[in-house]
Amino acid sequence: MLIPLLLATAAGRRLRLWDENGALVREYEEHPKTISSLAWKPGAQVISTTTYGQLALFGVTQESPQRRFEWKGSLLRCA
């Protein structure tokens, strides 16, 4: 199965996915706070994002987060 090339971007509270031609594939629901970091899960079509108070995991085919982890404080980076 061929996995499509996708680019994930964050601007403010919005996470977006783009295809290799620059076309918008998906715009996710607004995060509760400004997105401070994002990272792809190796070997999977999952993106993690951090904001003040949470880390969230998003599948490329789902509108809402697969999972959220709450944290009382600032999360600045995910890897």
Side-chain angles (χ1 to χ4, degrees):
M1 180 176 164
L2 184 62
I3 297 174
L5 295 175
L6 297 171
L7 172 69
T9 63
R13 296 179 181 200
R14 285 285 179 191
L15 172 65
R16 293 179 178 94
L17 286 181
W18 309 85
D19 69 15
E20 60 189 285
N21 298 313
L24 182 62
V25 173
R26 178 170 313 286
E27 183 172 3
Y28 292 90
E29 65 184 36
E30 193 169 275
H31 282 58
K33 303 286 183 187
T34 300
I35 298 169
S36 58
S37 178
L38 62 90
W40 286 96
K41 181 178 179 182
Q45 293 284 304
V46 176
I47 307 162
S48 61
T49 62
T50 58
T51 66
Y52 181 86
Q54 81 170 16
L55 178 135
L57 302 176
F58 292 85
V60 297
T61 61
Q62 300 165 326
E63 297 290 328
S64 298
Q66 292 177 344
R67 192 145 185 217
R68 290 183 184 171
F69 300 91
E70 292 186 12
W71 179 262
K72 294 185 189 286
S74 295
L75 294 164
L76 301 177
R77 183 170 293 173
C78 57

